[in-house]
Amino acid sequence: MNKISVAIVLYNNDINELNIAINSAINNSLVEIIYLIDNSEKNTLSSLQNINKEKIKYIFLNKNVGFGTAHNVAINLSQESKFAYHLILNPDVEFD
């Protein structure tokens, strides 16, 4: 079965809301990696990578490059890693 990569773009988000979205994605057996692309000015959300250091790659951009450009960073990483599928996930999404 093909594994997928997931990207969540961050910008000064509520950490509790992000925990829900991240854990929801991590608990899906199809998810191989989650790219957290942080557009915030400070890397206060970097602790999110500690949820699962094997499945989460935190990328701090140190500036707001925008939603699309930040997702392009993750898409490029996904393509380099040869994932067949990539999911763009909003930080307020939760699924079973």
Side-chain angles (χ1 to χ4, degrees):
M1 188 174 292
N2 290 321
K3 297 283 185 166
I4 64 173
S5 62
V6 174
I8 303 174
V9 170
L10 313 176
Y11 184 76
N12 301 325
N13 300 78
D14 178 80
I15 199 160
N16 294 319
E17 184 177 67
L18 287 169
N19 271 311
I20 293 168
I22 292 166
N23 282 308
S24 177
I26 281 178
N27 291 326
N28 186 303
S29 63
L30 295 175
V31 174
E32 181 79 19
I33 191 164
I34 300 173
Y35 299 109
L36 299 179
I37 312 298
D38 194 351
N39 279 344
S40 306
E41 297 86 15
K42 296 180 182 176
N43 67 344
T44 55
L45 299 172
S46 65
S47 63
L48 292 167
Q49 65 191 329
N50 296 329
I51 293 172
N52 186 321
K53 290 187 179 193
E54 291 178 17
K55 282 193 165 186
I56 296 175
K57 180 161 179 61
Y58 175 81
I59 300 161
F60 179 62
L61 299 180
N62 197 31
K63 62 181 174 180
N64 189 356
V65 298
F67 183 81
T69 299
H71 272 298
N72 285 340
V73 170
I75 290 168
N76 289 334
L77 291 169
S78 179
Q79 288 176 331
E80 288 172 12
S81 297
K82 307 284 189 223
F83 284 100
Y85 301 100
H86 180 77
L87 174 66
I88 293 174
L89 187 65
N90 284 347
D92 61 347
V93 172
E94 177 182 359
F95 53 91
D96 292 331

Coordinates of all heavy atoms in Angstrom, one line a residue:
M1 N 0.8 -1.2 0.0 CA 0.0 0.0 0.0 C 0.9 1.2 0.0 O 1.9 1.3 0.7 CB -0.9 0.0 1.2 CG -1.9 1.1 1.2 SD -3.1 0.9 2.6 CE -4.0 -0.5 2.1
N2 N 0.5 2.2 -0.8 CA 1.3 3.5 -0.8 C 1.1 4.3 0.4 O 0.0 4.5 0.9 CB 0.8 4.3 -2.0 CG 1.2 3.7 -3.3 OD1 2.3 3.2 -3.4 ND2 0.4 3.8 -4.3
K3 N 2.2 4.8 0.9 CA 2.2 5.7 2.1 C 2.1 7.1 1.6 O 2.4 7.4 0.4 CB 3.5 5.5 2.9 CG 3.7 4.1 3.5 CD 2.8 3.9 4.7 CE 3.1 2.6 5.4 NZ 2.5 2.5 6.7
I4 N 1.6 8.0 2.4 CA 1.5 9.4 2.0 C 2.3 10.3 3.0 O 2.5 10.0 4.1 CB 0.0 9.8 2.0 CG1 -0.6 9.8 3.4 CG2 -0.8 8.9 1.0 CD1 -2.0 10.3 3.4
S5 N 2.6 11.5 2.4 CA 3.1 12.5 3.2 C 2.0 13.6 3.5 O 1.1 13.7 2.7 CB 4.3 13.2 2.5 OG 4.0 13.8 1.3
V6 N 2.2 14.3 4.5 CA 1.2 15.3 4.9 C 1.9 16.6 5.3 O 3.0 16.6 5.8 CB 0.4 14.8 6.2 CG1 -0.5 15.9 6.7 CG2 -0.4 13.5 5.9
A7 N 1.3 17.7 4.9 CA 1.9 19.0 5.3 C 0.8 19.8 6.0 O -0.3 19.9 5.6 CB 2.3 19.7 4.0
I8 N 1.3 20.5 7.0 CA 0.5 21.5 7.7 C 1.3 22.8 7.8 O 2.4 22.7 8.3 CB 0.1 21.0 9.2 CG1 -0.6 19.7 9.2 CG2 -0.7 22.1 9.9 CD1 -0.9 19.1 10.5
V9 N 0.7 23.8 7.3 CA 1.4 25.1 7.4 C 1.0 25.8 8.6 O -0.2 25.9 9.0 CB 1.1 26.0 6.1 CG1 1.6 27.4 6.3 CG2 1.7 25.4 4.9
L10 N 2.0 26.3 9.4 CA 1.8 26.9 10.7 C 2.0 28.4 10.6 O 2.9 28.9 9.9 CB 2.7 26.3 11.7 CG 2.8 24.8 11.8 CD1 3.9 24.4 12.8 CD2 1.5 24.2 12.1
Y11 N 1.2 29.2 11.4 CA 1.5 30.6 11.6 C 0.9 31.0 12.9 O -0.3 31.3 12.9 CB 1.0 31.5 10.4 CG 1.3 32.9 10.6 CD1 2.6 33.4 10.3 CD2 0.4 33.8 11.1 CE1 3.0 34.7 10.5 CE2 0.8 35.1 11.3 CZ 2.0 35.6 11.0 OH 2.4 36.9 11.2
N12 N 1.7 31.0 13.9 CA 1.2 31.4 15.3 C -0.1 30.7 15.7 O -1.0 31.3 16.3 CB 1.0 32.9 15.3 CG 2.3 33.7 15.0 OD1 3.4 33.2 15.4 ND2 2.2 34.8 14.4
N13 N -0.2 29.4 15.4 CA -1.4 28.7 15.7 C -1.5 28.3 17.1 O -0.5 28.3 17.9 CB -1.4 27.4 14.9 CG -1.4 27.6 13.4 OD1 -0.4 27.9 12.8 ND2 -2.5 27.5 12.7
D14 N -2.7 28.0 17.5 CA -3.0 27.4 18.9 C -2.4 26.0 19.0 O -2.7 25.2 18.2 CB -4.5 27.4 19.1 CG -4.8 26.8 20.5 OD1 -4.7 27.5 21.5 OD2 -5.1 25.6 20.5
I15 N -1.5 25.8 19.9 CA -0.8 24.5 20.0 C -1.7 23.4 20.3 O -1.5 22.3 19.9 CB 0.4 24.6 21.0 CG1 1.4 23.5 20.7 CG2 -0.1 24.7 22.4 CD1 2.8 23.8 21.3
N16 N -2.8 23.6 21.1 CA -3.7 22.5 21.4 C -4.5 22.1 20.2 O -4.7 20.9 20.0 CB -4.6 23.0 22.5 CG -3.9 23.2 23.8 OD1 -3.0 22.5 24.2 ND2 -4.3 24.3 24.5
E17 N -4.9 23.0 19.4 CA -5.6 22.7 18.1 C -4.6 21.9 17.2 O -5.1 20.9 16.6 CB -6.1 24.0 17.5 CG -6.9 23.7 16.2 CD -7.4 25.0 15.6 OE1 -6.6 25.8 15.1 OE2 -8.6 25.2 15.6
L18 N -3.4 22.3 17.1 CA -2.4 21.6 16.3 C -2.2 20.2 16.8 O -2.0 19.3 16.0 CB -1.1 22.4 16.3 CG -1.1 23.7 15.4 CD1 0.1 24.5 15.7 CD2 -1.3 23.4 14.0
N19 N -2.1 20.0 18.1 CA -1.9 18.7 18.7 C -3.0 17.7 18.2 O -2.7 16.6 17.9 CB -1.9 18.7 20.2 CG -0.6 19.0 20.8 OD1 0.4 18.3 20.4 ND2 -0.5 19.9 21.7
I20 N -4.2 18.2 18.1 CA -5.3 17.4 17.7 C -5.2 17.0 16.2 O -5.3 15.8 15.8 CB -6.7 18.1 17.9 CG1 -7.0 18.3 19.4 CG2 -7.8 17.3 17.2 CD1 -8.1 19.2 19.7
A21 N -4.9 18.0 15.4 CA -4.7 17.7 13.9 C -3.5 16.7 13.7 O -3.6 15.8 12.9 CB -4.5 19.0 13.2
I22 N -2.4 17.0 14.4 CA -1.2 16.2 14.2 C -1.4 14.7 14.6 O -1.1 13.8 13.9 CB 0.0 16.8 14.9 CG1 0.4 18.1 14.2 CG2 1.2 15.8 15.0 CD1 1.4 19.0 15.0
N23 N -2.0 14.6 15.8 CA -2.2 13.2 16.3 C -3.3 12.5 15.5 O -3.2 11.3 15.3 CB -2.7 13.3 17.8 CG -1.5 13.5 18.7 OD1 -0.5 12.8 18.7 ND2 -1.6 14.5 19.6
S24 N -4.2 13.2 15.0 CA -5.2 12.6 14.1 C -4.5 12.0 12.8 O -4.8 10.9 12.4 CB -6.2 13.7 13.6 OG -7.1 13.1 12.7
A25 N -3.6 12.8 12.3 CA -2.8 12.3 11.1 C -1.8 11.2 11.4 O -1.7 10.2 10.7 CB -2.1 13.5 10.4
I26 N -1.1 11.3 12.5 CA -0.1 10.3 12.9 C -0.8 9.0 13.2 O -0.2 7.9 12.8 CB 0.6 10.8 14.2 CG1 1.7 11.8 13.8 CG2 1.3 9.6 14.9 CD1 2.5 12.4 15.0
N27 N -1.9 9.0 13.7 CA -2.6 7.7 14.0 C -3.2 7.0 12.8 O -3.7 5.9 12.9 CB -3.7 8.0 15.1 CG -3.1 8.3 16.4 OD1 -2.0 7.9 16.8 ND2 -3.8 9.2 17.1
N28 N -3.1 7.6 11.6 CA -3.5 7.0 10.4 C -2.3 6.1 9.9 O -1.2 6.6 9.7 CB -4.0 8.0 9.4 CG -4.5 7.4 8.2 OD1 -3.9 6.6 7.5 ND2 -5.8 7.8 7.9
S29 N -2.6 4.9 9.6 CA -1.5 4.0 9.2 C -0.9 4.3 7.8 O 0.2 3.8 7.5 CB -2.0 2.5 9.2 OG -3.1 2.4 8.3
L30 N -1.6 5.1 7.0 CA -1.1 5.4 5.7 C -0.1 6.6 5.8 O 0.7 6.8 4.8 CB -2.3 5.8 4.8 CG -3.3 4.7 4.4 CD1 -4.4 5.3 3.6 CD2 -2.6 3.6 3.7
V31 N -0.1 7.3 6.8 CA 0.8 8.5 7.0 C 2.2 8.1 7.3 O 2.4 7.5 8.4 CB 0.2 9.5 8.0 CG1 1.2 10.7 8.2 CG2 -1.1 10.0 7.5
E32 N 3.1 8.4 6.5 CA 4.5 8.1 6.7 C 5.3 9.3 7.4 O 6.1 9.1 8.3 CB 5.2 7.8 5.4 CG 6.7 7.4 5.5 CD 6.9 6.0 5.9 OE1 6.0 5.2 5.8 OE2 8.0 5.7 6.3
I33 N 4.9 10.5 7.0 CA 5.6 11.7 7.5 C 4.7 12.9 7.5 O 3.8 13.0 6.6 CB 6.9 12.0 6.8 CG1 7.7 13.0 7.5 CG2 6.6 12.4 5.3 CD1 9.2 13.1 7.0
I34 N 4.8 13.7 8.5 CA 4.1 15.0 8.5 C 5.1 16.1 8.5 O 6.0 16.2 9.3 CB 3.3 15.1 9.8 CG1 2.2 14.0 9.8 CG2 2.6 16.5 9.8 CD1 1.5 13.9 11.1
Y35 N 5.0 17.0 7.5 CA 5.9 18.2 7.4 C 5.1 19.3 8.0 O 4.0 19.7 7.6 CB 6.2 18.5 5.9 CG 6.9 17.5 5.2 CD1 6.3 16.7 4.2 CD2 8.3 17.2 5.4 CE1 7.0 15.8 3.5 CE2 8.9 16.2 4.7 CZ 8.3 15.5 3.7 OH 9.0 14.6 3.0
L36 N 5.7 19.9 9.1 CA 5.2 21.1 9.7 C 6.0 22.3 9.2 O 7.2 22.4 9.5 CB 5.3 21.0 11.2 CG 4.5 19.9 11.9 CD1 4.8 19.9 13.4 CD2 3.0 19.9 11.6
I37 N 5.4 23.1 8.4 CA 6.1 24.2 7.8 C 5.7 25.5 8.5 O 4.5 25.9 8.5 CB 5.7 24.4 6.3 CG1 5.9 23.0 5.5 CG2 6.6 25.4 5.6 CD1 7.2 22.4 5.5
D38 N 6.6 26.0 9.3 CA 6.2 27.1 10.2 C 6.6 28.5 9.6 O 7.8 28.8 9.4 CB 7.0 26.9 11.5 CG 6.4 27.8 12.6 OD1 5.6 28.7 12.4 OD2 6.8 27.6 13.8
N39 N 5.6 29.3 9.3 CA 5.8 30.6 8.8 C 5.9 31.7 9.9 O 6.0 32.9 9.6 CB 4.6 31.0 7.9 CG 4.7 30.5 6.5 OD1 5.7 30.0 6.0 ND2 3.5 30.5 5.8
S40 N 5.8 31.3 11.1 CA 5.8 32.2 12.3 C 7.2 32.9 12.4 O 8.2 32.5 11.9 CB 5.6 31.5 13.6 OG 4.4 30.7 13.5
E41 N 7.2 34.1 13.1 CA 8.4 34.8 13.3 C 9.3 34.2 14.3 O 10.5 34.4 14.3 CB 8.1 36.3 13.7 CG 7.3 37.1 12.7 CD 5.8 36.9 12.8 OE1 5.3 36.3 13.8 OE2 5.1 37.3 11.8
K42 N 8.7 33.4 15.2 CA 9.5 32.7 16.3 C 9.1 31.2 16.2 O 8.0 30.9 15.9 CB 9.1 33.3 17.7 CG 9.5 34.7 17.8 CD 9.1 35.3 19.2 CE 9.5 36.7 19.3 NZ 9.1 37.3 20.6
N43 N 10.1 30.4 16.6 CA 9.8 29.0 16.5 C 9.2 28.4 17.8 O 9.6 27.3 18.2 CB 11.1 28.2 16.1 CG 12.2 28.3 17.1 OD1 12.1 29.1 18.0 ND2 13.2 27.5 17.0
T44 N 8.3 29.1 18.3 CA 7.6 28.6 19.5 C 6.8 27.3 19.3 O 6.5 26.6 20.3 CB 6.7 29.7 20.1 OG1 5.7 30.0 19.1 CG2 7.5 30.9 20.6
L45 N 6.5 27.0 18.1 CA 5.8 25.7 17.8 C 6.7 24.5 17.6 O 6.2 23.4 17.3 CB 4.9 25.9 16.6 CG 3.8 27.0 16.8 CD1 3.1 27.3 15.5 CD2 2.8 26.6 17.9
S46 N 8.0 24.7 17.7 CA 9.0 23.6 17.4 C 8.8 22.4 18.3 O 9.1 21.3 17.9 CB 10.4 24.1 17.5 OG 10.7 24.5 18.8
S47 N 8.2 22.6 19.5 CA 8.0 21.5 20.4 C 7.0 20.5 19.8 O 7.0 19.3 20.3 CB 7.5 22.0 21.7 OG 6.2 22.6 21.6
L48 N 6.3 20.8 18.8 CA 5.3 19.9 18.2 C 6.1 18.7 17.5 O 5.5 17.6 17.4 CB 4.5 20.6 17.1 CG 3.5 21.6 17.6 CD1 3.0 22.4 16.5 CD2 2.4 20.9 18.4
Q49 N 7.3 18.9 17.2 CA 8.1 17.7 16.6 C 8.3 16.6 17.6 O 8.6 15.5 17.2 CB 9.4 18.2 15.9 CG 10.3 18.8 16.9 CD 11.5 19.5 16.2 OE1 11.9 19.1 15.1 NE2 12.0 20.5 16.8
N50 N 8.2 17.0 18.9 CA 8.4 16.0 19.9 C 7.3 15.0 20.1 O 7.4 14.0 20.8 CB 8.7 16.7 21.3 CG 10.0 17.5 21.2 OD1 10.9 17.2 20.5 ND2 10.0 18.6 22.0
I51 N 6.2 15.3 19.4 CA 5.0 14.3 19.5 C 5.5 13.0 18.9 O 5.2 12.0 19.4 CB 3.8 14.9 18.7 CG1 3.3 16.1 19.4 CG2 2.7 13.8 18.5 CD1 2.2 16.9 18.5
N52 N 6.2 13.1 17.8 CA 6.7 11.8 17.2 C 7.9 12.2 16.3 O 7.7 12.6 15.1 CB 5.6 11.1 16.4 CG 6.1 9.8 15.8 OD1 7.2 9.6 15.4 ND2 5.2 8.8 15.8
K53 N 9.1 12.1 16.8 CA 10.3 12.6 16.1 C 10.6 11.8 14.8 O 11.3 12.3 13.9 CB 11.5 12.6 17.0 CG 11.4 13.7 18.0 CD 12.7 13.8 18.8 CE 12.5 14.9 19.8 NZ 13.8 15.3 20.4
E54 N 10.0 10.6 14.7 CA 10.3 9.8 13.5 C 9.3 10.2 12.4 O 9.7 10.0 11.2 CB 10.1 8.3 13.8 CG 11.1 7.7 14.7 CD 10.9 6.3 15.1 OE1 10.1 5.6 14.4 OE2 11.5 5.8 16.0
K55 N 8.1 10.6 12.7 CA 7.1 10.9 11.7 C 6.9 12.4 11.4 O 6.2 12.8 10.5 CB 5.8 10.3 12.1 CG 5.7 8.9 11.8 CD 4.2 8.4 11.9 CE 4.0 7.1 11.3 NZ 2.6 6.7 11.3
I56 N 7.5 13.3 12.3 CA 7.3 14.7 12.1 C 8.6 15.4 11.7 O 9.6 15.2 12.4 CB 6.8 15.4 13.4 CG1 5.4 14.8 13.7 CG2 6.7 16.9 13.3 CD1 4.8 15.3 15.0
K57 N 8.6 16.2 10.7 CA 9.7 17.0 10.3 C 9.3 18.5 10.4 O 8.4 18.9 9.6 CB 10.2 16.7 8.9 CG 11.4 17.5 8.4 CD 12.1 16.9 7.3 CE 13.2 17.8 6.8 NZ 14.3 18.0 7.7
Y58 N 9.9 19.2 11.3 CA 9.5 20.6 11.5 C 10.5 21.5 10.7 O 11.7 21.3 10.8 CB 9.6 20.9 13.0 CG 9.4 22.4 13.4 CD1 8.2 22.9 13.5 CD2 10.5 23.2 13.6 CE1 8.0 24.2 13.8 CE2 10.4 24.5 14.0 CZ 9.1 25.0 14.1 OH 8.9 26.3 14.4
I59 N 9.9 22.4 9.9 CA 10.7 23.3 9.1 C 10.3 24.7 9.5 O 9.2 25.1 9.2 CB 10.5 23.0 7.6 CG1 10.9 21.5 7.3 CG2 11.3 24.0 6.8 CD1 10.4 21.0 6.1
F60 N 11.3 25.4 10.1 CA 11.0 26.8 10.5 C 11.5 27.7 9.4 O 12.7 27.8 9.1 CB 11.7 27.1 11.8 CG 11.6 28.4 12.3 CD1 10.3 28.9 12.6 CD2 12.7 29.3 12.5 CE1 10.2 30.2 13.1 CE2 12.6 30.5 13.0 CZ 11.3 31.0 13.3
L61 N 10.6 28.5 8.8 CA 11.0 29.4 7.7 C 11.4 30.8 8.2 O 12.0 31.6 7.5 CB 9.9 29.5 6.7 CG 9.5 28.2 6.0 CD1 8.4 28.4 5.0 CD2 10.7 27.6 5.3
N62 N 11.0 31.2 9.5 CA 11.4 32.4 10.1 C 10.8 33.6 9.4 O 11.2 34.8 9.6 CB 12.9 32.6 10.2 CG 13.4 33.6 11.1 OD1 12.7 33.9 12.1 ND2 14.5 34.3 10.8
K63 N 9.8 33.4 8.5 CA 9.0 34.5 7.9 C 7.8 34.0 7.3 O 7.7 32.8 7.0 CB 9.9 35.3 6.9 CG 10.3 34.5 5.7 CD 11.2 35.3 4.8 CE 11.7 34.4 3.7 NZ 12.5 35.1 2.8
N64 N 6.8 34.8 7.1 CA 5.6 34.4 6.5 C 5.7 34.5 5.0 O 5.5 35.5 4.3 CB 4.4 35.3 7.0 CG 3.1 34.7 6.5 OD1 3.0 33.7 5.8 ND2 2.0 35.3 7.0
V65 N 6.0 33.3 4.4 CA 6.2 33.2 2.9 C 4.8 33.0 2.2 O 4.7 33.0 1.0 CB 7.2 32.2 2.5 CG1 8.6 32.5 3.0 CG2 6.7 30.8 2.9
G66 N 3.8 32.8 3.0 CA 2.5 32.5 2.5 C 2.1 31.0 2.5 O 3.0 30.2 2.5
F67 N 0.8 30.8 2.4 CA 0.3 29.4 2.5 C 0.8 28.6 1.3 O 1.3 27.5 1.5 CB -1.3 29.5 2.5 CG -2.0 28.2 2.7 CD1 -2.1 27.6 3.9 CD2 -2.5 27.6 1.5 CE1 -2.8 26.4 4.1 CE2 -3.2 26.4 1.7 CZ -3.3 25.8 3.0
G68 N 0.6 29.1 0.1 CA 1.0 28.3 -1.1 C 2.5 28.0 -1.1 O 2.9 26.9 -1.4
T69 N 3.3 29.0 -0.9 CA 4.8 28.8 -1.0 C 5.2 27.9 0.1 O 6.1 27.0 -0.1 CB 5.5 30.2 -0.8 OG1 5.1 31.0 -1.9 CG2 7.0 30.0 -0.8
A70 N 4.7 28.0 1.3 CA 5.0 27.0 2.4 C 4.7 25.6 2.0 O 5.4 24.7 2.3 CB 4.4 27.5 3.7
H71 N 3.5 25.4 1.4 CA 3.1 24.1 1.0 C 4.0 23.6 -0.1 O 4.3 22.4 -0.2 CB 1.6 24.0 0.6 CG 0.7 23.7 1.8 ND1 0.8 22.6 2.5 CD2 -0.2 24.5 2.3 CE1 -0.1 22.6 3.5 NE2 -0.8 23.8 3.4
N72 N 4.5 24.4 -0.9 CA 5.4 24.0 -2.0 C 6.7 23.5 -1.4 O 7.3 22.5 -2.0 CB 5.7 25.2 -3.0 CG 4.5 25.4 -3.9 OD1 3.7 24.6 -4.1 ND2 4.5 26.6 -4.4
V73 N 7.1 24.0 -0.3 CA 8.3 23.4 0.4 C 8.1 22.0 0.7 O 8.9 21.1 0.4 CB 8.7 24.3 1.7 CG1 9.7 23.6 2.5 CG2 9.1 25.7 1.3
A74 N 6.9 21.7 1.3 CA 6.6 20.3 1.7 C 6.4 19.4 0.5 O 6.8 18.3 0.5 CB 5.4 20.3 2.6
I75 N 5.8 20.0 -0.5 CA 5.5 19.2 -1.8 C 6.8 18.8 -2.4 O 7.0 17.6 -2.8 CB 4.6 19.9 -2.7 CG1 3.2 20.0 -2.2 CG2 4.6 19.3 -4.1 CD1 2.3 21.0 -2.9
N76 N 7.8 19.7 -2.4 CA 9.1 19.4 -3.0 C 9.8 18.3 -2.2 O 10.4 17.4 -2.8 CB 10.0 20.6 -3.1 CG 9.5 21.6 -4.1 OD1 8.9 21.2 -5.1 ND2 9.8 22.9 -3.9
L77 N 9.7 18.4 -0.9 CA 10.3 17.3 0.0 C 9.6 16.0 -0.2 O 10.3 15.0 -0.3 CB 10.2 17.7 1.5 CG 11.1 18.9 1.9 CD1 10.7 19.4 3.3 CD2 12.5 18.5 1.9
S78 N 8.3 16.0 -0.4 CA 7.5 14.8 -0.7 C 8.0 14.2 -2.0 O 8.1 13.0 -2.1 CB 6.1 15.1 -0.7 OG 5.3 14.0 -0.9
Q79 N 8.1 15.0 -3.0 CA 8.6 14.5 -4.3 C 10.0 13.9 -4.2 O 10.3 12.9 -4.8 CB 8.5 15.6 -5.4 CG 7.1 15.9 -5.7 CD 7.0 17.1 -6.7 OE1 7.8 18.0 -6.7 NE2 5.9 17.1 -7.5
E80 N 10.9 14.6 -3.5 CA 12.2 14.1 -3.4 C 12.3 12.7 -2.7 O 13.1 11.9 -3.0 CB 13.1 15.1 -2.6 CG 13.4 16.3 -3.3 CD 14.1 17.4 -2.4 OE1 14.5 17.0 -1.2 OE2 14.2 18.5 -2.8
S81 N 11.3 12.5 -1.8 CA 11.2 11.2 -1.0 C 10.4 10.2 -1.8 O 10.2 9.1 -1.3 CB 10.7 11.5 0.4 OG 11.5 12.3 1.1
K82 N 9.9 10.6 -2.9 CA 9.2 9.6 -3.8 C 7.8 9.1 -3.2 O 7.5 8.0 -3.5 CB 10.0 8.4 -4.2 CG 11.4 8.8 -4.8 CD 11.3 9.3 -6.2 CE 12.7 9.4 -6.8 NZ 12.9 10.5 -7.6
F83 N 7.1 10.0 -2.5 CA 5.8 9.6 -2.1 C 4.9 9.7 -3.2 O 4.9 10.6 -4.1 CB 5.3 10.6 -1.0 CG 6.0 10.3 0.4 CD1 7.0 11.1 0.8 CD2 5.5 9.3 1.2 CE1 7.6 10.9 2.1 CE2 6.1 9.1 2.4 CZ 7.2 9.9 2.8
A84 N 4.0 8.7 -3.3 CA 3.0 8.7 -4.4 C 1.9 9.7 -4.1 O 1.3 10.2 -5.1 CB 2.4 7.3 -4.5
Y85 N 1.6 10.0 -2.9 CA 0.5 10.9 -2.5 C 1.0 11.9 -1.5 O 1.8 11.6 -0.6 CB -0.7 10.1 -2.0 CG -1.2 9.2 -3.0 CD1 -0.9 7.8 -2.9 CD2 -2.0 9.6 -4.1 CE1 -1.4 6.9 -3.8 CE2 -2.5 8.6 -5.0 CZ -2.2 7.3 -4.9 OH -2.6 6.4 -5.8
H86 N 0.4 13.1 -1.5 CA 0.7 14.1 -0.6 C -0.6 14.8 -0.2 O -1.4 15.2 -1.1 CB 1.7 15.2 -1.2 CG 2.0 16.3 -0.2 ND1 2.9 16.1 0.8 CD2 1.6 17.5 -0.1 CE1 3.0 17.2 1.5 NE2 2.2 18.1 0.9
L87 N -0.8 15.0 1.1 CA -2.0 15.6 1.6 C -1.7 17.0 2.2 O -0.8 17.1 3.0 CB -2.7 14.7 2.7 CG -3.9 15.3 3.5 CD1 -5.1 15.4 2.5 CD2 -4.2 14.4 4.6
I88 N -2.5 18.0 1.8 CA -2.4 19.3 2.3 C -3.5 19.4 3.4 O -4.7 19.2 3.1 CB -2.6 20.4 1.3 CG1 -1.4 20.4 0.3 CG2 -2.8 21.8 1.9 CD1 -1.6 21.3 -0.9
L89 N -3.0 19.5 4.7 CA -4.0 19.4 5.8 C -4.0 20.8 6.5 O -3.0 21.3 6.9 CB -3.5 18.4 6.7 CG -4.4 18.0 7.9 CD1 -5.7 17.4 7.4 CD2 -3.7 17.0 8.8
N90 N -5.2 21.3 6.7 CA -5.4 22.5 7.5 C -5.2 22.2 9.0 O -5.5 21.1 9.4 CB -6.8 23.1 7.3 CG -6.9 23.8 5.9 OD1 -5.9 24.1 5.3 ND2 -8.1 24.1 5.5
P91 N -4.7 23.1 9.7 CA -4.3 22.9 11.1 C -5.5 22.7 12.0 O -5.4 22.3 13.2 CB -3.5 24.1 11.6 CG -3.9 25.1 10.6 CD -4.3 24.5 9.3
D92 N -6.7 22.9 11.6 CA -7.9 22.7 12.4 C -8.7 21.5 12.0 O -9.9 21.3 12.4 CB -8.8 23.9 12.3 CG -9.3 24.2 10.9 OD1 -8.8 23.6 9.9 OD2 -10.2 25.1 10.8
V93 N -8.1 20.5 11.3 CA -8.8 19.3 10.8 C -8.5 18.2 11.7 O -7.4 18.0 12.2 CB -8.4 19.0 9.3 CG1 -8.9 17.7 8.9 CG2 -8.8 20.1 8.4
E94 N -9.6 17.4 11.9 CA -9.4 16.2 12.7 C -10.2 15.1 12.0 O -11.3 15.3 11.5 CB -10.0 16.4 14.1 CG -10.0 15.2 15.0 CD -10.6 15.5 16.3 OE1 -11.1 16.7 16.6 OE2 -10.7 14.6 17.2
F95 N -9.7 13.9 11.9 CA -10.4 12.8 11.3 C -10.1 11.5 12.0 O -9.1 11.4 12.7 CB -10.0 12.7 9.8 CG -8.6 12.6 9.5 CD1 -7.9 11.4 9.3 CD2 -7.9 13.8 9.2 CE1 -6.6 11.4 9.1 CE2 -6.5 13.7 8.9 CZ -5.9 12.5 8.8
D96 N -10.9 10.5 11.8 CA -10.7 9.2 12.4 C -9.7 8.3 11.6 O -9.7 8.4 10.4 CB -12.1 8.4 12.4 CG -13.0 9.1 13.4 OD1 -12.6 9.7 14.3 OD2 -14.3 9.0 13.1

